[in-house]
Amino acid sequence: MRATIAVLPGDGVGPEVVAEAVKVLEATAKSFGHTLDLASGQIGGGAIDATGSPLPAETLRVCRNADAVLFGAVGGPRWSDPRGRVRPEDGLLGLRRELGVFANLRPVRAVSDLADVSALRADRISDVDVLIVRELTGGIYFGARQEATAARREAYDTMRYSDEEVRRVAHVGFRLARERRQRVTSVDKANVLASSRLWRQVVNDVAREYPGVECESMLVDAAAMHLLRRPADFDVLLTENLFGDILADEASMLVGSIGMLPSASLGDGRRGLYEPIHGSAPDLAGRGVANPLGAVLSAAMLVRHSLGWRVEADAIEAAASRVVADGFRTADIATAGSTTVGTAEMGTRIAELVAGASREEGPCVVTQ
Ligand code: IPM
Ligand code: MG
């Protein structure tokens, strides 16, 4: 098969981790007999410096012409002046909105080899397998806002949701729960927020269409607590945009490092946006030490969801697990006795395993 992928490395460690994800994608294509056309684009702070815009029209065009978008990270101290006219993050938010990718999937699975790295005791995390389904193009991220000015020291943001915005992401959550452990926990703050009361009503409505799926609504503060107290009880965690942003970072500590977690942002069609959930980590940038697993596992989600290459996605995930199991770790997930490797070596090791993957299927020669 032939596929076009838009590659947007962005700022900070973005280019370093995306380079490894691309290395793994190229190895995958070669190993399984596919052709990949890669088209790169600027986004974030680098794009502001080069063009004045965090999301240049050309980048959007490249993304619209692609089957999927692989994204690194945006932002950094260089562009974080609160009085700045444009922010790097506006590039990512604009891209999510323009591509209509309203459902952000963030799988959080405990890795037994990394039990020592988790923030929790091994017995609490052994069965953790949570899929966060975060609404991505609505809520307080996109509601009306007013910046404070020198004259008027007051600012606001608005958390707004329509019935339809909640309904479509709820369907994604319930559909995915049906393929998993049949359980949705919907997160809201319905005891305080009007938008959450609508959220809860609509989720209940949608739940009626999935009689086999158990559904509970949980207040976000309680959810933050239960995620640490009994994380293995969660299956699909369905949440609005800001709550999902916060809970995903919290959940990454179950695994042990935010560098590990991938994400897929999906809309109505097959095209998706794939990104590690970590940020640009300016303190690590340029040092070759960032963990590329979040980006590499995002590439696995990309080939599975947008290209329909399931065996290939499994092969990438298996190779990543194998490298970690063999004791090769970036500094953030290093444990006693493991071998600390840099970003590029981690990527190369995964790519090498993937390169051999299609040949490991069986003794029969595959004629493409
Ligand atoms: C994330 C990030 C982004 C978000 C930022 C960079 C805008 O934190 O993807 O989780 O808040 O959605
Ligand atoms: Mg975040």
Side-chain angles (χ1 to χ4, degrees):
M1 271 183 63
R2 191 174 194 118
T4 304
I5 299 176
V7 180
L8 314 184
D11 308 317
V13 296
E16 292 164 59
V17 296
V18 164
E20 300 317 307
V22 167
K23 198 186 271 177
V24 171
L25 281 171
E26 282 174 334
T28 308
K30 185 150 180 243
S31 175
F32 290 85
H34 302 303
T35 305
L36 280 184
D37 297 311
L38 303 175
S40 62
Q42 290 181 316
I43 192 162
I48 295 176
D49 291 348
T51 71
S53 161
L55 180 60
E58 171 59 14
T59 298
L60 208 47
R61 195 190 61 76
V62 166
C63 294
R64 288 213 165 99
N65 286 336
D67 298 300
V69 181
L70 180 66
F71 169 89
V74 285
R78 219 170 118 76
W79 308 281
S80 61
D81 180 354
R83 290 156 308 181
R85 194 181 48 84
V86 278
R87 305 178 58 83
E89 289 78 6
D90 295 336
L92 176 58
L93 299 179
L95 184 63
R96 289 171 177 172
R97 183 83 168 194
E98 288 292 330
L99 296 181
V101 287
F102 59 83
N104 178 231
L105 278 40
R106 300 189 162 187
V108 184
R109 234 169 275 130
V111 182
S112 55
D113 295 296
L114 295 180
D116 288 351
V117 187
S118 171
L120 296 192
R121 290 198 314 257
D123 60 310
R124 294 234 167 147
I125 54 132
S126 52
D127 293 321
V128 167
D129 182 1
V130 187
L131 177 63
I132 298 177
V133 177
R134 168 188 174 194
E135 200 289 326
L136 202 63
T137 54
I140 198 163
Y141 275 58
F142 293 94
R145 69 169 46 104
Q146 175 70 59
E147 299 284 346
T149 62
R152 192 171 164 80
R153 305 303 297 153
E154 185 186 304
Y156 63 76
D157 301 277
T158 315
M159 191 185 287
R160 183 205 143 275
Y161 270 109
S162 71
D163 183 303
E164 182 47 34
E165 283 171 323
V166 180
R167 195 169 294 272
R168 62 187 183 176
V169 74
H171 275 291
V172 172
F174 279 91
R175 274 201 298 269
L176 290 167
R178 224 162 35 181
E179 296 162 17
R180 293 170 47 96
R181 302 197 314 278
Q182 317 274 337
R183 192 181 170 84
V184 171
T185 303
S186 170
V187 175
D188 61 43
K189 187 72 184 171
N191 55 345
V192 177
L193 305 176
S195 57
S196 278
R197 289 188 279 273
L198 172 69
W199 181 279
R200 194 174 275 209
Q201 271 173 26
V202 176
V203 169
N204 270 289
D205 225 28
V206 172
R208 283 190 199 98
E209 296 179 44
Y210 300 82
V213 179
E214 207 181 309
C215 177
E216 65 176 336
S217 286
M218 192 180 281
L219 296 173
V220 62
D221 45 356
M225 175 185 69
H226 289 301
L227 204 48
L228 297 185
R229 203 167 75 93
R230 48 182 184 86
D233 287 355
F234 292 95
D235 180 13
V236 170
L237 199 69
L238 173 65
T239 158
E240 67 86 45
N241 205 342
L242 178 63
F243 299 161
D245 179 46
I246 298 167
L247 292 177
D249 277 26
E250 183 190 353
S252 75
M253 285 298 106
L254 303 174
V255 183
S257 168
I258 196 164
M260 301 283 299
L261 295 202
S263 82
S265 305
L266 307 173
D268 288 325
R270 277 186 89 178
R271 191 197 297 120
L273 168 64
Y274 300 84
E275 47 175 308
I277 81 158
H278 64 73
S280 61
D283 51 325
L284 302 183
R287 293 170 44 203
V289 297
N291 188 341
L293 284 173
V296 168
L297 296 172
S298 298
M301 294 185 89
L302 182 156
V303 302
R304 179 179 290 119
H305 292 285
S306 284
L307 311 185
W309 302 354
R310 289 168 192 214
V311 180
E312 291 83 340
D314 291 347
I316 297 174
E317 285 166 358
S321 303
R322 172 83 172 276
V323 167
V324 170
D326 286 348
F328 298 104
R329 315 273 169 81
T330 41
D332 57 319
I333 52 171
T335 49
S338 68
T339 308
T340 303
V341 296
T343 314
E345 181 172 347
M346 195 88 167
T348 301
R349 286 185 176 277
I350 297 168
E352 279 169 3
L353 285 179
V354 172
S358 69
R359 289 188 286 283
E360 275 170 21
E361 274 176 11
C364 299
V365 173
V366 179
T367 306
Q368 304 284 351

